[in-house]
Amino acid sequence: MKPLPKGFLHGADYNPDQWLAYPEILSEDYRLMTLAHTNVMSIGIFSWSALEPEEGRFEFGWMDEVFERLHAAGQSVILATPGGARPAWMAQKYPEVLRVGKNRVRNLFGHRHNHCLTSPVFREKCGIINAKLAERYGKHPALILWHVNNEYGGECFCPLCAEAFRGWLKARYHTLEALNTAWWADFWSLRFSDWSQIEPPCDHGQNTFNALALDWRLFVNHQTIDCYQAEAAPLRRITPETPVTTNYHRELYDLWKFSRHLDVVAFDNYPFWHHDPRQGFYTLVAPNPAEEDGLGLSPTSDYFVAMEAAFDFDMMRSLKGGEPFLMMESTPGSANWHMASPQKERGLALLSAMQAVAHGARSVQYFQWRKSRGNYEKYHGAVVNHAGHENTRTFREVAEIGSLLESLKGLAESRIEAQVAILHDWEAMYALTEDNGILNDLFHNKPAGYKRAFMPYYRALVENRVSVDFVPPDGTWWEGKKLIVAPMWYLVREEQARRAEEFVQAGGILVTTYWSGVVGANGLCHLGGVPGPLRHLMGIWVEETSSMHSHRSVGVRLRDGVEFEAGQFADSIHLEGAETLSTFTNGIFEGQPAATSNRFGKGRAIHLGTKFPLHHLRSFFSSLLDEQMIPRTFPADLPPGVYATRRKSGNGDVVFLMNFGDAETIINTTGLGWVSHPDGALIHTAIRLPKFGLKMVLEKA
Ligand code: GAL
């Protein structure tokens, strides 16, 4: 397989097919790319109707020219397959390619990403055009990577998908009896007597069948990957030496599974900069005593948004065990689909691009190179705006990022070493969010709730200045980890629990929380007490769990007598070998343990039975990090709003110090002997970091 070019990729989604009637603008593009210090363009993403205007009539002339001109302008090409948006002729002639909604109504032609995941016609048509692209451009020296489709997402409820679901279930359960048993189908007379009775979930039918809903999620996941593989098949066959990827957006699919089929992970990054983090997608800051972080930042600080982006980047890097990933899209200005479109404040364009690099990205790419003149994305940020020249703030910022990346060449393939990991499992997420009955407001049908539940643990680790990886529950990439935190590990299988035991036995520390080890496969509750197969390892039995809204809290006392309020969940814990770390001081579980620790082999298994406030999580994790002698990214406390990451370089570590806080700040570097990177200037006693400032320093090996 051909490696990606050395050094950082810097570029954008480029849509010349929208500008074929403007040859002077196309010529300008190549001049401007040089000025913007780009070296890669992603093309063809939504070009199906330009490439195949009528069924079977192909027009590659324009793309031939674009390839030649990009190559001449020193730009590599990431070539997309066009499945992200089908042409009108296809929808008209073969309606089966269009998606059917949960209400069983077939969509009309329009929008994009509106394709059935199963349709044989869609797959066949993708196969034909993708093969033609591979044959025509596979050997072109500018081609470095395939980009299949675009941001897979959503689901289709058409008869073909329903039938495929039944086929998937047959392969999984073999007999209806086994399925009825696994699905606990005697509840509400749900038992099936024929496979044909099984329907995907819908609001006017199966909308409370947890086990069916969980399997539907797993099936959609499978079918999405299958569709991707079908689209990628001609590329793999005709150009086996060219790597293949697709660009992820949100983490709604089992990306552990999906990423096995990618040669490099690619991610589209759209943080809600300058929005109120208490609203919106993830409501990052909640008015709950347990979430008060004690940092003293304003509640609308961009730092909270930055932490969410950091979480995503660390996840992307972890998906292939730490290999550098591509930031395939980001906006150089504002996005048009957020609740508002604030332009980035001074410094943030560069800082947010470099934040990806700080977490292990090997590219900074934008959506989009040039603003489209019409339609849905005409107001979306772009490197070149409608004025059409380089004399804009955004263009200058992009050029600055490009030249900075050129000066950091050696770093693009470098890795981040983390001895700390957060356990993340999509099956557990699906089960938690399809199920109901614990904290429906935050979790039922709300996959984002799962991510939000992770944020305090993620932040408490990052704010302790350590590198954090994510790991799957099956033990993959657990080697070298000394601390694994598993927040809300709801669905735990026997074999996963055994792997966790081995990890702790050998000296690791495992931290679980409330609502862990509750169910196993199919969301069936573990019999014999929570935390199910983890019970022996944790040395506790959780008799019951109480969840509460943000207006309620519960008092906790540590062993040293310090008291504070916690919330959201409270476990009624009975000790079975573990010792008590803290105790509830009021409420129905008054006097019972709020957190426990169990010695197991050479390690410890710690359970947090309530959602502790962030300030406590920080100091708690700090002592665990010291106990495990885990290296920090920065040797001393950092000012609020500033955090650090570390990438290995040939001659030492490059430390990225990033200020997402509310104001300028000073970082004490007395005695560190660090040099500024890449300019090599000696850093004396302090670094001044303006708001949205970045400083890279080199710690020589
Ligand atoms: C992405 C998508 C791009 C563009 C961008 C705008 O989700 O892949 O094609 O629409 O959003 O932010």
Side-chain angles (χ1 to χ4, degrees), residues 220-237:
V220 171
N221 202 76
H222 161 89
Q223 204 66 351
T224 304
I225 298 173
D226 195 60
C227 187
Y228 157 82
Q229 283 183 287
E231 290 178 74
L235 318 174
R236 298 274 188 207
R237 189 179 71 245

Side-chain angles (χ1 to χ4, degrees), residues 102 115-116 122 149 196 313 317 383 387 428 440 470 547 593 647:
K102 209 172 185 180
H115 60 85
C116 169
F122 177 70
N149 206 302
S196 63
F313 293 141
R317 188 191 65 246
V383 181
N440 295 338
F470 288 86
S547 66
R647 282 183 82 160

Side-chain angles (χ1 to χ4, degrees), residues 13 46 112 150-151 247 249 268 270 329 335-337 367 377 380:
D13 280 16
F46 300 109
R112 55 175 174 174
N150 190 67
E151 291 189 344
N247 49 337
H249 187 6
D268 297 349
Y270 291 98
E329 290 182 25
N336 67 325
W337 53 273
F367 178 88
E377 290 179 329
H380 193 287

Side-chain angles (χ1 to χ4, degrees), residues 101 126 228 346 455 509 592:
C126 286
Y228 157 82
R346 189 179 301 279
M455 282 310 283
I509 295 183
Q592 285 184 252

